[in-house]
Amino acid sequence: MRELSYREAVRDALSQAMRQDDDIFVMGEDIAEMGGSMGVTAGMLDEFGPDRIRNTPISESAIVGAGIGAAMQGMRPVVEVMYEDFLTVSMEQIVNQAAKHRYMSGGQLKVPLTIRTQGGAGWSPGAQHAQQVEAWFVHVPGLKVVFASTPTDVRGLLWSAIYDDNPVIFFEHRTLYGLKEEVPEELEPIPIGQGRVHREGSDVTVVATGRLLHEALKAAEQAKSEGISVEVWDPRTLQPLDVDGLVASVKKTNRVVVAHEAVTRMGFGAEIAAVVGEQAFDWLDAPVERVGAKFVPLPFAPVMEEYVVPHAADVLEAVKRTVARDA
Amino acid sequence: MRELSYREAVRDALSQAMRQDDDIFVMGEDIAEMGGSMGVTAGMLDEFGPDRIRNTPISESAIVGAGIGAAMQGMRPVVEVMYEDFLTVSMEQIVNQAAKHRYMSGGQLKVPLTIRTQGGAGWSPGAQHAQQVEAWFVHVPGLKVVFASTPTDVRGLLWSAIYDDNPVIFFEHRTLYGLKEEVPEELEPIPIGQGRVHREGSDVTVVATGRLLHEALKAAEQAKSEGISVEVWDPRTLQPLDVDGLVASVKKTNRVVVAHEAVTRMGFGAEIAAVVGEQAFDWLDAPVERVGAKFVPLPFAPVMEEYVVPHAADVLEAVKRTVARDA
Amino acid sequence: MAKVEAKRGLSEERLREFLREMLLIRRFEEKVEERFRAGELPGFLHVAIGQEGVAVGVCQAMEDGDVFASTHRAHGHTLARGTHPNAIMAELYGKMEGCSHGYGGSMHLYDVERGNLGANAVVGGGLPAITGAALAFKLRGEPRVAVAFFGDGATNIGTFHESLNLAQLWQVPAVFVLEDNHWAESTPESQHSPIRDLSKRADAFGMKVMKADGQDVEEVHRVAQRALKHARDGKGPIFMHVETERLVGHYIGDPQVYRDKEQLRELQETRDPITLLREKLGVSDEEFDDADREVQELVDASVEFAKAGTDPKPEDALKNVYA
Amino acid sequence: MAKVEAKRGLSEERLREFLREMLLIRRFEEKVEERFRAGELPGFLHVAIGQEGVAVGVCQAMEDGDVFASTHRAHGHTLARGTHPNAIMAELYGKMEGCSHGYGGSMHLYDVERGNLGANAVVGGGLPAITGAALAFKLRGEPRVAVAFFGDGATNIGTFHESLNLAQLWQVPAVFVLEDNHWAESTPESQHSPIRDLSKRADAFGMKVMKADGQDVEEVHRVAQRALKHARDGKGPIFMHVETERLVGHYIGDPQVYRDKEQLRELQETRDPITLLREKLGVSDEEFDDADREVQELVDASVEFAKAGTDPKPEDALKNVYA
Ligand SMILES: Cc1ncc(C[n+]2csc(CCOP(=O)(O)OP(=O)(O)O)c2C)c(N)n1
Ligand SMILES: Cc1ncc(C[n+]2csc(CCOP(=O)(O)OP(=O)(O)O)c2C)c(N)n1
Ligand SMILES: [Mg+2]
Ligand SMILES: [Mg+2]
C-alpha cells in the first residue's frame, strides 16, 4: 500500500496508462507547464512531452470534438474540461456527436474518449465555477458517467474509463483533490457499473456521490451515536447504474436517503428515487429522502454558499426523518 | 370560439403580443421569408418587417446570447431555436448566462427572454433532430420550463412566457403543429405553474406532457372500456411544477403513471416519481410507473423509431400494471 | 496515380468517369426526390443537385485511408467516395443493408471502410472531429488526410472557427472544403454574413486558402489534389473555398418562396456542372444517353435492392448504443 | 464634453485624473492581493495589474447610458466606470453592500446603474449579450453603445466569432475591446493562436479595426473615443485591438512557473502604464506620493467599509433567483 491524494491518484492513473499505451494522450487548457488549474497533470509535461500533454486554446467545443475525432481513429484521448460548468460549451459535441456516432453508424464506430472534469462548491467559486451537472449526462444514451469520490476509486475508475470503448464523462470533485488515502500498490481497475458499500448498516441506506459521500460517512458516524445504523453506498458510476447493488441494500434497510451536491430538483437523486420505487416499492418503509443543493445558482458569499449546498448535518437530518416514519 | 391549429396558435400568440408591444421581436434561423422550418412564423415578416422577424445566421450561441442582451435592456425577445437538439449549442448561454444574471447581480437584472424550440420523433428525423431534452433545464435554477400540448395551451402559455420576466424555455412538439382545436375567441393567458386536468378519473393518475398527453388520452379511453377510470393530468409547466395539482390528483387515485417521449432514465418522470414519493408516500398504492423512450438515441428506420418512443399502448400497459398491484 | 495526372492534367477518360459519377449522383438524387414524393422515404432529405462537381472533384482526389465528414447534404460525397448506391438507397429506406444499417438515414450516412466518418445533421458538428482525426494521423505519423465538407451557413457557427484555429495551430493534415452555395436554407449569404469572400474566415487563422469553381469538376479536382498533397506533406491544413450553386430547394419539397425563380432558372441553364463538363468534353447525345441509361439502371436497381432489403427488427434499436 | 477634448487632445488635468484612476486600480488590486493572502477573501481572484490603462482609457471614454460586459479580470473596468471602491471591496468580502450584494463575487461584479452588465467567469460568455444590448439600442433608436471587454484567449472560443459576425451583420453600436496581454492563464499566445495579429479575426467579418497601445492610456482613450463615436453614429461596430501586459500572475497566488522571470521583470520596468504616464506628465515624487496616499486611503477605507459590512443571512440565498 502507498498513500496517494485524490489528485495524485488521478495523475497516477493517467501516467500509468500513458506509459503503457502510446495512443493515450491528454489535452486541455493549461495542463502543460501549469499542470492544470487543479495541478492534476503537474510534472507530466516533462515525462510525456507537449504532444501528449497538449495545451489547448480556450475552445471547449473543438477540443472535445478533436478528442472525438482522435478516438474514432482508435486513439484514447483524455480531454480535460477545466470546470464542469464549461461542459455547457461542449454540450453539442458530447450529446450529439460523442454519444451518437456509434449508434448512427449502425455500430461501425467506437468513441473511446474520456472527458475529465471537476467542480463543486466550497470557498466560493461562484455561480459559474461550482455547478454539479452530472445528471444531464445520465439522460443521454451512449454516454457513461462516472463520479469518483476517493483516491482509490478515482484511480481505478479513471483507468477503466480510459480503456472503455465508449465516451465517458468523468467527474471529479474540487474539494477532494487533497484527500489522502492508502491505495493498493498496484493500480486495480474498478469496473464501470459497480457501486461500493462504504459502510454497512441496517436501518437506512444513504446513497451518496462525490463530496457528499464523505458527508454521508460523517452523518453515519453521528447517527450511530444516536443508535441508528446507516449503510452508505456510493454508486460511483451513474451510468450504467448498479441497480442490483442499490436494490440489495434497500431491501436490507427498507429506507433510503440519497445525497448529492447538485440541486435536488431533477438531480440524480430523482432517478435513484424512481428506480428504488420501481424495484423495491414493497420493501420501502418510508419515502426516499433527497438531500441536495437548494434550488438556486451558487451564491458567492460563503455564508450563503454554505447554506445552499448540503452537509453532513443535512444528511443526518434526512436519516432521522426517514427512520422516524412508521413502517 | 374559433378553430386554430397548434401552429396557428403559436403564431397568434406571437402576433398579438407583437402588435401590443414594440419591445417584442422574434429572431431565429429561416423564420422570415420561409416562416421557420415548421412554418410557425409564416406571413409574419409581411406584417412586422425584418427588424422584428429577424433572420439570423446559424449561430445558436450568439442568437440566444443576443436575446439575453436585448432582454437585459428591457426588451422581450423570442428566440426560435429550430430544433431542440440545437439547444446543446446554446447551452452555455442558457445555463450560465440567462439563468444566472439576475442572481449573480443580486437582483439588479431581469432577463425576460423566451426561447421557443421544438422536437420529437415521428417519421424519422433521426438521432440529431428528434431528442426531447426538457429535463435538463428543469435542473437549472433561474429558468422556467414550459411544454405545451394543445393549441389552447400553447397560445395561452406562450403569451405568459413572453410576458414573464424570467428566461423561459418553451417546448413545442413537432407532431402537434397540425393539431386543431376550438380555442377562445380572445387569447386567455395561462399562468405559468398551473397543471391541467384533461380528464377526470379515480383509479390512476397519468401525468403526461407533449405528444404523450394525447397518447395518454387515447390510453384512458381504452382503459375505460376495460373498466379503469384514468385521470389525465398535464403539468404544462415543468418548472415551476404545480405540485399541489399533482398531489391532489394522486391523493384521489393513489396510483400514478408518468409518460413523456424523452428517455425514461433521468427524464422528467423521475422528478415526478420523486416528488410523488415525497409528498404522497402514504397515499401511494403502487410504484410510480414511468413511460418514456427506451435508453437509445433515436434510430432512423421507422420500425425502430416506433419501437423506441412510447405510444398509447405503452401508457395503457403501465396503467394496467399499476392497477393490477395490490394496495 | 493521382499525382502524375496532376502534372499533365486529367485524361479525357478520367473526365468522362467524372461525368458519369456526377450523373450518377444527379440521377440518384432525382430518384430520391421521386421516391420521397411517392411517400416511400421517411426522414428529412436534402439533395445536392448542382453541387456534384464538388463532391466528385474532391472525393476523387482523396486516397485510400483518407477520411471525411459530410453534412446534411451527403448523398453526393458518399457516392463519390465509392459507397455503392445500393447501400445508400437502402439506408434511405431504413434497411439493414444500408450503409448505416438503418440507424442513420440520409443525414447520417456512414461508411467507415471508405473513410466516411459520418454525415452530420448539426451544422458545423462534424468539423472538430476532422481536426481530431487529422491530429491522430499526425501523432501516429500516418500519411493520411482528413477532409471536412460544410456550407457557407456553417461558417457562422462557433465550432467552425474553433476547428480551423486548432487545425492551423497544430498543423494537422486536414482540408476544410467550403461548399459555398450562397444559401443557408432560405437565408441568402447577405443575410448571414457581412462579408462576401468567405475565405477571409480562414485568414483569421492564417490558414492557406485555395479557391475553385465548383461547377468545374476538373478545377475542383486539381485544386483538391494540391490541397490534399499540401496537407499530406505535413505543410498544414488547407481551406478550400469552392463556389457552387444549389440548383434546387434546401430540402426535398422546399417551395423556395424566398428565391427569385428567374435567377434560379438562369443558374440551372448556365451553371449546371454536368452540362458544363459535357460541353467541354463534346460528349455526343448518344454517348451521354448511354451513360445516362447505365447510371439510371444502377439507380433503379438500388431502389429494387433497397425495397427488397431487410427491415430491422424493432428490438434491433437496442443495439449499438455502447461498444 | 469628450468630443471637444478629442480634437484638442486631453488636458493635463484630465490626464492627471487618469493617473489617479490607474493608481486607484493598482492600489485596490494590491490590497485585494494582500487581503487574499491574509485569508480574508474567498473565491477566485484575478487582478489586472499592468492593464489599468485599458480600463481607464476605455471606460473614461464611455458616456452615461453606455453599457459594458467585463471578464474574470473585472476590478479595473468596474472602478474605472465609477463604481465606488467600497462597493467592490464589499462584494469581494461577500457583503450585502457589495455591488452584487454578495451574490456575485470578484468574477461577477455588476453595477447596472453605471452600465456594468456583469463580469463573466465564462471566457467569451459575455460577448453575445453585448451584441444583443447593442441591437436593442439600435431597434429603439437610442444613441447608446455596448462595450465588451475580453482577452486574447477569448478569441479562440466560438461565441467570440459568432458575436462579432452578428454585430457586424446587423451593424449594431458595439465596441469589442480585445485586451491582448498575450497570455491565457499559463498559455502563451503562440500556443493558442496560429496568428500573431489577432485583429485579423475581425477582418473575417469585415469589422473595422482600431488599434491602441494599452500601456498608453491617452492613446487608448483617444482611440476609444473614436470607436465609441463610430458606433454611436450608426456606422457599425468596432474591433478595438489593445496590446497590453499582464505584469503579474493569472490569478492571485499564481507562481507563474510557465513564465520567464527576466522578461517579466523587464516588462514591469518598461511597460508599466502608471510609470509611463507619470514620466510623460513629469509628475514629481511629491505630487505622486500625495495622489498615492489619497488613493491608498480610499482603498484602506474600502476594506474597513467591507469588513464592517453586513453578511447576508443564509436564507438570502433563496432570493433573486426569479424576478
Ligand atoms: C446547429 C444547427 N442549426 C441549424 C440547423 C438547421 N439547418 C440544417 S441545414 C441548414 C443550412 C445550412 O446551410 P449551409 O451550411 O450553407 O449548407 P447547405 O444547406 O447550403 O448545403 C440549417 C440552418 C442545423 N442542422 N444545425
Ligand atoms: C469557457 C471557459 N474556459 C476556460 C475558462 C478558464 N479560464 C479563466 S480565465 C482563462 C484565460 C483567459 O485568457 P484571456 O481571454 O486572454 O484573458 P486574460 O486572463 O488574459 O485576461 C481561462 C482559460 C473559463 N473561465 N471559461
Ligand atoms: Mg449553403
Ligand atoms: Mg490574455
Side-chain angles (χ1 to χ4, degrees), chain C residues 18 26 69-70 211 266 279 300:
Chain C
F18 285 8
R26 176 70 54 89
S70 179
K211 297 198 183 206
E266 199 188 305
E279 282 168 3
D300 289 343

Side-chain angles (χ1 to χ4, degrees), chain C residues 20 36 49 75 77 86 107 148 160 189 220 237 245 248 271:
Chain C
R20 188 187 158 284
F36 178 81
I49 288 177
H75 308 143
H77 308 138
N86 287 359
M107 296 201 289
F160 162 80
E189 212 153 274
V220 173
E245 310 292 347
V248 292
R271 294 274 288 158

Side-chain angles (χ1 to χ4, degrees), chain B residues 58, chain C residues 51 72-73 150-154 178-185 187 189 192 198 244 246 250:
Chain B
I58 307 171
Chain C
Q51 305 183 199
H72 54 286
R73 208 176 294 290
F150 55 96
D152 47 302
L178 166 56
E179 294 190 74
D180 188 354
N181 64 12
H182 315 289
W183 289 93
E185 298 211 1
T187 305
E189 212 153 274
H192 75 63
L198 290 176
T244 185
R246 195 189 82 198
H250 169 64

Side-chain angles (χ1 to χ4, degrees), chain B residues 135-148:
Chain B
W136 292 340
F137 301 95
V138 177
H139 196 42
V140 181
L143 300 179
K144 296 190 176 180
V145 182
V146 174
F147 196 171

Side-chain angles (χ1 to χ4, degrees), chain B residues 186-200:
Chain B
E186 298 278 297
L187 191 157
E188 289 169 10
I190 297 171
I192 305 269
Q194 216 169 75
R196 172 174 171 190
V197 178
H198 271 269
R199 181 189 172 111
E200 300 214 21

Side-chain angles (χ1 to χ4, degrees), chain D residues 139-315:
Chain D
L139 285 173
R140 288 169 157 183
E142 297 172 339
R144 301 164 65 187
V145 180
V147 176
F149 291 99
F150 55 95
D152 47 302
T155 68
N156 298 313
I157 197 157
T159 43
F160 162 79
H161 302 273
E162 293 189 5
S163 302
L164 262 67
N165 188 49
L166 269 200
Q168 178 70 12
L169 181 65
W170 293 345
Q171 290 289 295
V172 300
V175 175
F176 295 92
V177 182
L178 165 56
E179 293 191 73
D180 188 354
N181 64 12
H182 316 287
W183 289 93
E185 297 210 3
S186 71
T187 306
E189 212 153 275
S190 61
Q191 272 183 42
H192 74 64
S193 165
I195 57 167
R196 291 289 65 77
D197 177 4
L198 290 176
S199 64
K200 283 198 191 147
R201 301 206 164 173
D203 295 344
F205 310 102
M207 193 180 291
K208 196 171 161 66
V209 174
M210 297 185 181
K211 297 198 182 205
D213 175 2
Q215 308 317 92
D216 179 348
V217 64
E218 190 175 6
E219 179 175 324
V220 173
H221 183 263
R222 189 171 53 240
V223 174
Q225 277 192 320
R226 279 178 45 221
L228 285 154
K229 181 170 181 340
H230 186 276
R232 203 182 310 282
D233 289 350
K235 296 186 184 153
I238 292 291
F239 187 80
M240 195 173 148
H241 185 175
V242 189
E243 304 258 359
T244 184
E245 310 292 349
R246 195 188 82 198
L247 297 177
V248 291
H250 168 63
Y251 57 93
I252 297 185
D254 180 359
Q256 298 192 75
V257 291
Y258 49 83
R259 208 165 176 189
D260 184 311
K261 291 299 171 318
E262 193 47 54
Q263 274 176 14
L264 177 56
R265 191 161 37 243
E266 199 188 305
L267 287 176
Q268 285 163 340
E269 278 162 19
T270 61
R271 294 274 287 156
D272 186 320
I274 295 178
T275 316
L276 291 171
L277 181 57
R278 184 184 167 177
E279 284 168 2
K280 187 172 178 176
L281 291 173
V283 175
S284 70
D285 285 357
E286 199 190 332
E287 190 186 340
F288 187 83
D289 290 347
D290 279 351
D292 204 4
R293 210 168 305 117
E294 194 195 317
V295 302
Q296 288 273 22
E297 274 165 24
L298 257 178
V299 167
D300 289 344
S302 78
V303 174
E304 293 312 304
F305 176 85
K307 287 190 179 176
T310 324
D311 279 322
K313 288 190 292 299
E315 316 83 66

Side-chain angles (χ1 to χ4, degrees), chain B residues 199 203-204 214-230 232 311-320:
Chain B
R199 181 189 172 111
D203 294 333
V204 52
H214 304 279
E215 300 297 305
L217 289 170
K218 276 184 237 165
E221 200 52 36
Q222 290 160 18
K224 187 182 168 197
S225 69
E226 302 186 33
I228 307 170
S229 167
V230 177
V232 178
H311 304 279
D314 302 287
V315 179
L316 183 62
E317 258 177 51
V319 162
K320 289 191 197 166

Side-chain angles (χ1 to χ4, degrees), chain D residues 64-116:
Chain D
D64 282 358
D66 292 348
V67 300
F68 70 99
S70 177
T71 68
H72 54 286
R73 208 177 293 290
H75 309 143
H77 307 138
T78 308
L79 281 166
R81 197 68 205 113
T83 302
H84 198 283
N86 288 0
I88 304 175
M89 194 63 87
E91 187 60 31
L92 304 193
Y93 275 84
K95 303 291 183 171
M96 300 198 72
E97 291 81 0
C99 59
S100 308
H101 308 303
Y103 289 75
S106 168
M107 294 200 291
H108 306 297
L109 301 178
Y110 286 80
D111 188 348
V112 175
E113 215 180 302
R114 288 175 189 76
N116 182 345

